[in-house]
CSV table of all heavy atoms in Angstrom, one decimal:
chain,number,residue,atom,x,y,z
A,292,SER,N,-2.0,8.9,25.4
A,292,SER,CA,-3.1,8.2,25.9
A,292,SER,C,-4.4,9.0,25.8
A,292,SER,O,-5.5,8.6,25.4
A,292,SER,CB,-2.9,7.8,27.4
A,292,SER,OG,-4.0,7.2,27.9
A,293,ALA,N,-4.2,10.3,26.0
A,293,ALA,CA,-5.3,11.3,25.9
A,293,ALA,C,-5.8,11.4,24.5
A,293,ALA,O,-7.0,11.4,24.2
A,293,ALA,CB,-4.9,12.7,26.4
A,294,GLY,N,-4.8,11.3,23.5
A,294,GLY,CA,-5.2,11.4,22.1
A,294,GLY,C,-5.9,10.1,21.7
A,294,GLY,O,-6.9,10.2,21.0
A,295,ILE,N,-5.5,9.0,22.3
A,295,ILE,CA,-6.3,7.7,22.0
A,295,ILE,C,-7.7,7.8,22.4
A,295,ILE,O,-8.6,7.4,21.7
A,295,ILE,CB,-5.5,6.5,22.6
A,295,ILE,CG1,-4.2,6.3,22.0
A,295,ILE,CG2,-6.4,5.2,22.5
A,295,ILE,CD1,-3.3,5.3,22.7
A,296,ALA,N,-7.9,8.4,23.6
A,296,ALA,CA,-9.2,8.5,24.2
A,296,ALA,C,-10.1,9.4,23.3
A,296,ALA,O,-11.2,9.0,23.0
A,296,ALA,CB,-9.1,9.1,25.6
A,297,SER,N,-9.5,10.5,22.8
A,297,SER,CA,-10.3,11.3,21.9
A,297,SER,C,-10.6,10.7,20.6
A,297,SER,O,-11.7,10.7,20.0
A,297,SER,CB,-9.5,12.6,21.7
A,297,SER,OG,-10.2,13.4,20.7
A,298,LEU,N,-9.6,10.0,20.0
A,298,LEU,CA,-9.8,9.3,18.7
A,298,LEU,C,-10.9,8.3,18.8
A,298,LEU,O,-11.6,8.0,17.8
A,298,LEU,CB,-8.5,8.6,18.3
A,298,LEU,CG,-8.5,8.0,17.0
A,298,LEU,CD1,-8.4,9.0,15.9
A,298,LEU,CD2,-7.3,7.0,16.8
A,299,TRP,N,-11.2,7.7,19.9
A,299,TRP,CA,-12.1,6.6,20.1
A,299,TRP,C,-13.6,7.0,19.8
A,299,TRP,O,-14.4,6.2,19.4
A,299,TRP,CB,-12.1,6.1,21.6
A,299,TRP,CG,-12.7,4.8,21.8
A,299,TRP,CD1,-13.4,4.0,21.0
A,299,TRP,CD2,-12.8,4.1,23.1
A,299,TRP,NE1,-13.8,2.9,21.6
A,299,TRP,CE2,-13.5,2.9,22.9
A,299,TRP,CE3,-12.3,4.4,24.4
A,299,TRP,CZ2,-13.7,2.0,24.0
A,299,TRP,CZ3,-12.5,3.6,25.4
A,299,TRP,CH2,-13.2,2.4,25.2
A,300,GLY,N,-13.9,8.3,19.9
A,300,GLY,CA,-15.2,8.8,19.6
A,300,GLY,C,-15.7,8.5,18.2
A,300,GLY,O,-15.0,8.6,17.3
A,301,PRO,N,-17.0,8.1,18.1
A,301,PRO,CA,-17.5,7.8,16.7
A,301,PRO,C,-17.6,8.9,15.8
A,301,PRO,O,-17.6,8.8,14.6
A,301,PRO,CB,-19.0,7.3,17.0
A,301,PRO,CG,-19.3,7.8,18.4
A,301,PRO,CD,-18.0,7.9,19.1
A,302,ALA,N,-17.5,10.2,16.3
A,302,ALA,CA,-17.4,11.3,15.4
A,302,ALA,C,-16.0,11.5,14.8
A,302,ALA,O,-15.8,12.2,13.8
A,302,ALA,CB,-17.9,12.6,16.1
A,303,HIS,N,-15.1,10.8,15.4
A,303,HIS,CA,-13.7,10.9,15.0
A,303,HIS,C,-13.2,9.5,14.5
A,303,HIS,O,-13.7,8.9,13.6
A,303,HIS,CB,-12.9,11.5,16.1
A,303,HIS,CG,-11.5,11.9,15.9
A,303,HIS,ND1,-10.9,12.0,14.6
A,303,HIS,CD2,-10.5,12.3,16.8
A,303,HIS,CE1,-9.7,12.4,14.7
A,303,HIS,NE2,-9.4,12.6,16.0
A,304,GLY,N,-12.1,9.0,15.1
A,304,GLY,CA,-11.5,7.8,14.7
A,304,GLY,C,-12.4,6.6,14.9
A,304,GLY,O,-12.3,5.5,14.2
A,305,GLY,N,-13.4,6.7,15.8
A,305,GLY,CA,-14.3,5.5,16.0
A,305,GLY,C,-15.3,5.3,14.9
A,305,GLY,O,-16.0,4.4,14.9
A,306,ALA,N,-15.2,6.3,13.9
A,306,ALA,CA,-16.2,6.2,12.8
A,306,ALA,C,-16.0,4.9,11.9
A,306,ALA,O,-16.9,4.4,11.4
A,306,ALA,CB,-16.1,7.4,11.9
A,307,ASN,N,-14.7,4.5,11.8
A,307,ASN,CA,-14.5,3.3,11.0
A,307,ASN,C,-15.2,2.1,11.5
A,307,ASN,O,-15.8,1.3,10.8
A,307,ASN,CB,-13.0,3.0,10.8
A,307,ASN,CG,-12.2,2.9,12.1
A,307,ASN,OD1,-12.7,2.6,13.1
A,307,ASN,ND2,-10.9,3.1,12.0
A,308,GLU,N,-15.2,1.9,12.8
A,308,GLU,CA,-16.0,0.8,13.5
A,308,GLU,C,-17.5,1.1,13.3
A,308,GLU,O,-18.2,0.2,12.9
A,308,GLU,CB,-15.6,0.7,15.0
A,308,GLU,CG,-16.4,-0.3,15.7
A,308,GLU,CD,-16.0,-0.4,17.2
A,308,GLU,OE1,-15.0,0.2,17.6
A,308,GLU,OE2,-16.7,-1.1,17.9
A,309,ALA,N,-17.9,2.4,13.4
A,309,ALA,CA,-19.3,2.7,13.3
A,309,ALA,C,-19.8,2.5,11.8
A,309,ALA,O,-20.9,2.1,11.6
A,309,ALA,CB,-19.5,4.2,13.7
A,310,VAL,N,-18.9,2.7,10.8
A,310,VAL,CA,-19.3,2.5,9.4
A,310,VAL,C,-19.7,1.0,9.2
A,310,VAL,O,-20.7,0.7,8.7
A,310,VAL,CB,-18.2,2.8,8.5
A,310,VAL,CG1,-18.5,2.3,7.0
A,310,VAL,CG2,-18.0,4.4,8.4
A,311,LEU,N,-18.9,0.1,9.7
A,311,LEU,CA,-19.2,-1.3,9.6
A,311,LEU,C,-20.5,-1.7,10.3
A,311,LEU,O,-21.3,-2.4,9.7
A,311,LEU,CB,-18.0,-2.2,10.1
A,311,LEU,CG,-17.2,-2.9,9.1
A,311,LEU,CD1,-18.0,-4.1,8.4
A,311,LEU,CD2,-16.7,-2.0,8.0
A,312,ASN,N,-20.6,-1.2,11.5
A,312,ASN,CA,-21.9,-1.5,12.2
A,312,ASN,C,-23.1,-0.9,11.5
A,312,ASN,O,-24.1,-1.5,11.4
A,312,ASN,CB,-21.8,-0.9,13.6
A,312,ASN,CG,-20.7,-1.5,14.5
A,312,ASN,OD1,-20.3,-2.7,14.2
A,312,ASN,ND2,-20.2,-0.8,15.5
A,313,MET,N,-22.9,0.3,10.8
A,313,MET,CA,-24.0,0.9,10.1
A,313,MET,C,-24.3,0.1,8.8
A,313,MET,O,-25.5,-0.2,8.5
A,313,MET,CB,-23.6,2.3,9.6
A,313,MET,CG,-24.6,3.0,8.7
A,313,MET,SD,-23.9,4.5,8.0
A,313,MET,CE,-22.7,3.9,6.9
A,314,LEU,N,-23.3,-0.4,8.1
A,314,LEU,CA,-23.5,-1.2,6.9
A,314,LEU,C,-24.2,-2.5,7.2
A,314,LEU,O,-25.1,-2.9,6.5
A,314,LEU,CB,-22.2,-1.4,6.2
A,314,LEU,CG,-21.5,-0.2,5.5
A,314,LEU,CD1,-20.1,-0.6,5.0
A,314,LEU,CD2,-22.4,0.4,4.4
A,315,ASN,N,-23.8,-3.1,8.3
A,315,ASN,CA,-24.4,-4.3,8.7
A,315,ASN,C,-25.9,-4.1,9.1
A,315,ASN,O,-26.8,-4.9,8.9
A,315,ASN,CB,-23.7,-5.0,9.9
A,315,ASN,CG,-22.4,-5.7,9.4
A,315,ASN,OD1,-22.4,-6.3,8.4
A,315,ASN,ND2,-21.3,-5.4,10.1
A,316,GLU,N,-26.2,-2.9,9.7
A,316,GLU,CA,-27.5,-2.5,10.1
A,316,GLU,C,-28.4,-2.3,8.9
A,316,GLU,O,-29.5,-2.7,8.8
A,316,GLU,CB,-27.5,-1.3,11.0
A,316,GLU,CG,-28.9,-1.0,11.7
A,316,GLU,CD,-28.9,0.3,12.5
A,316,GLU,OE1,-27.8,0.9,12.6
A,316,GLU,OE2,-30.0,0.7,12.9
A,317,ILE,N,-27.8,-1.6,7.9
A,317,ILE,CA,-28.5,-1.3,6.6
A,317,ILE,C,-28.9,-2.7,5.9
A,317,ILE,O,-30.0,-2.9,5.5
A,317,ILE,CB,-27.7,-0.4,5.7
A,317,ILE,CG1,-27.6,1.0,6.3
A,317,ILE,CG2,-28.4,-0.3,4.3
A,317,ILE,CD1,-26.7,1.9,5.5
A,318,GLY,N,-27.9,-3.5,5.9
A,318,GLY,CA,-28.2,-4.9,5.5
A,318,GLY,C,-28.1,-5.1,4.0
A,318,GLY,O,-27.3,-5.8,3.4
A,319,ASN,N,-29.0,-4.4,3.3
A,319,ASN,CA,-29.0,-4.5,1.8
A,319,ASN,C,-29.4,-3.2,1.1
A,319,ASN,O,-30.0,-2.3,1.8
A,319,ASN,CB,-29.9,-5.7,1.3
A,319,ASN,CG,-31.4,-5.4,1.7
A,319,ASN,OD1,-31.9,-4.4,1.2
A,319,ASN,ND2,-31.9,-6.2,2.6
A,320,LYS,N,-29.3,-3.2,-0.2
A,320,LYS,CA,-29.5,-1.9,-0.9
A,320,LYS,C,-30.9,-1.4,-0.8
A,320,LYS,O,-31.1,-0.2,-0.9
A,320,LYS,CB,-29.1,-2.1,-2.4
A,320,LYS,CG,-27.6,-2.4,-2.6
A,320,LYS,CD,-27.2,-2.6,-4.1
A,320,LYS,CE,-25.8,-3.0,-4.2
A,320,LYS,NZ,-25.4,-3.3,-5.6
A,321,ASP,N,-31.8,-2.3,-0.6
A,321,ASP,CA,-33.3,-1.9,-0.5
A,321,ASP,C,-33.5,-1.0,0.7
A,321,ASP,O,-34.4,-0.2,0.7
A,321,ASP,CB,-34.2,-3.1,-0.4
A,321,ASP,CG,-34.0,-4.0,-1.6
A,321,ASP,OD1,-33.5,-3.5,-2.7
A,321,ASP,OD2,-34.3,-5.2,-1.6
A,322,ASN,N,-32.6,-1.1,1.7
A,322,ASN,CA,-32.9,-0.3,2.9
A,322,ASN,C,-32.1,1.1,2.9
A,322,ASN,O,-32.3,1.9,3.8
A,322,ASN,CB,-32.4,-1.1,4.1
A,322,ASN,CG,-33.2,-2.4,4.3
A,322,ASN,OD1,-34.3,-2.4,3.9
A,322,ASN,ND2,-32.5,-3.4,4.8
A,323,ILE,N,-31.3,1.3,1.9
A,323,ILE,CA,-30.5,2.5,1.8
A,323,ILE,C,-31.4,3.8,1.9
A,323,ILE,O,-31.1,4.7,2.7
A,323,ILE,CB,-29.6,2.6,0.6
A,323,ILE,CG1,-28.5,1.5,0.7
A,323,ILE,CG2,-29.0,4.0,0.4
A,323,ILE,CD1,-27.6,1.5,-0.5
A,324,ALA,N,-32.5,3.8,1.2
A,324,ALA,CA,-33.3,5.0,1.1
A,324,ALA,C,-33.8,5.4,2.5
A,324,ALA,O,-33.8,6.6,2.9
A,324,ALA,CB,-34.5,4.8,0.2
A,325,ASP,N,-34.2,4.4,3.3
A,325,ASP,CA,-34.7,4.7,4.7
A,325,ASP,C,-33.6,5.3,5.5
A,325,ASP,O,-33.8,6.2,6.3
A,325,ASP,CB,-35.2,3.4,5.3
A,325,ASP,CG,-36.5,2.9,4.7
A,325,ASP,OD1,-37.1,3.7,4.0
A,325,ASP,OD2,-36.9,1.7,4.9
A,326,PHE,N,-32.4,4.8,5.4
A,326,PHE,CA,-31.3,5.3,6.2
A,326,PHE,C,-30.8,6.7,5.8
A,326,PHE,O,-30.5,7.5,6.6
A,326,PHE,CB,-30.1,4.3,6.2
A,326,PHE,CG,-30.3,3.2,7.2
A,326,PHE,CD1,-31.0,2.0,6.8
A,326,PHE,CD2,-29.8,3.2,8.5
A,326,PHE,CE1,-31.3,1.0,7.6
A,326,PHE,CE2,-30.0,2.1,9.3
A,326,PHE,CZ,-30.8,1.0,8.9
A,327,ILE,N,-30.9,6.9,4.5
A,327,ILE,CA,-30.6,8.3,4.0
A,327,ILE,C,-31.7,9.3,4.5
A,327,ILE,O,-31.3,10.4,5.0
A,327,ILE,CB,-30.7,8.3,2.4
A,327,ILE,CG1,-29.5,7.5,1.8
A,327,ILE,CG2,-30.7,9.7,1.9
A,327,ILE,CD1,-28.2,8.2,1.6
A,328,LYS,N,-32.9,8.8,4.6
A,328,LYS,CA,-34.0,9.6,5.1
A,328,LYS,C,-33.7,10.0,6.6
A,328,LYS,O,-33.8,11.1,7.0
A,328,LYS,CB,-35.3,8.9,4.9
A,328,LYS,CG,-36.6,9.7,5.2
A,328,LYS,CD,-37.8,9.0,4.6
A,328,LYS,CE,-39.1,9.7,5.0
A,328,LYS,NZ,-39.7,9.1,6.2
A,329,LYS,N,-33.3,8.9,7.3
A,329,LYS,CA,-33.0,9.2,8.8
A,329,LYS,C,-31.8,10.2,8.9
A,329,LYS,O,-31.9,11.0,9.8
A,329,LYS,CB,-32.6,7.8,9.4
A,329,LYS,CG,-33.7,6.9,9.9
A,329,LYS,CD,-33.2,5.5,10.2
A,329,LYS,CE,-32.3,5.5,11.4
A,329,LYS,NZ,-32.9,5.9,12.7
A,330,ALA,N,-30.8,10.0,8.0
A,330,ALA,CA,-29.7,10.9,8.1
A,330,ALA,C,-30.0,12.3,7.9
A,330,ALA,O,-29.4,13.3,8.4
A,330,ALA,CB,-28.6,10.4,7.2
A,331,LYS,N,-31.0,12.6,7.0
A,331,LYS,CA,-31.4,13.9,6.7
A,331,LYS,C,-32.4,14.5,7.7
A,331,LYS,O,-32.7,15.7,7.7
A,331,LYS,CB,-32.1,13.9,5.3
A,331,LYS,CG,-31.0,13.6,4.2
A,331,LYS,CD,-31.6,13.0,2.9
A,331,LYS,CE,-32.6,13.9,2.2
A,331,LYS,NZ,-33.0,13.4,0.9
A,332,ASP,N,-33.0,13.7,8.6
A,332,ASP,CA,-34.0,14.2,9.5
A,332,ASP,C,-33.3,14.9,10.7
A,332,ASP,O,-32.5,14.3,11.4
A,332,ASP,CB,-34.7,13.0,10.1
A,332,ASP,CG,-35.8,13.4,11.1
A,332,ASP,OD1,-35.8,14.6,11.5
A,332,ASP,OD2,-36.5,12.5,11.5
A,333,PRO,N,-33.5,16.2,10.8
A,333,PRO,CA,-32.8,17.0,11.8
A,333,PRO,C,-33.1,16.5,13.2
A,333,PRO,O,-32.4,16.7,14.2
A,333,PRO,CB,-33.3,18.4,11.6
A,333,PRO,CG,-34.5,18.3,10.8
A,333,PRO,CD,-34.4,17.1,10.0
A,334,ASN,N,-34.3,15.8,13.3
A,334,ASN,CA,-34.6,15.3,14.7
A,334,ASN,C,-34.1,13.9,15.0
A,334,ASN,O,-34.3,13.4,16.1
A,334,ASN,CB,-36.2,15.3,14.8
A,334,ASN,CG,-36.7,16.7,14.6
A,334,ASN,OD1,-36.2,17.7,15.2
A,334,ASN,ND2,-37.7,16.8,13.7
A,335,ASP,N,-33.4,13.3,14.0
A,335,ASP,CA,-32.9,12.0,14.2
A,335,ASP,C,-31.4,12.1,14.3
A,335,ASP,O,-30.7,12.7,13.4
A,335,ASP,CB,-33.3,11.1,13.0
A,335,ASP,CG,-32.9,9.6,13.2
A,335,ASP,OD1,-31.8,9.4,13.9
A,335,ASP,OD2,-33.7,8.8,12.8
Side-chain angles (χ1 to χ4, degrees):
S292 177
I295 293 170
S297 171
L298 185 75
W299 194 1
H303 190 12
N307 53 20
E308 177 177 352
V310 167
L311 250 290
N312 295 336
M313 174 191 72
L314 291 173
N315 285 317
E316 189 186 355
I317 293 173
N319 64 61
K320 294 178 185 178
D321 299 340
N322 297 331
I323 289 178
D325 289 345
F326 280 83
I327 292 274
K328 189 161 175 267
K329 277 169 62 69
K331 292 158 61 172
D332 178 354
N334 300 314
D335 189 323

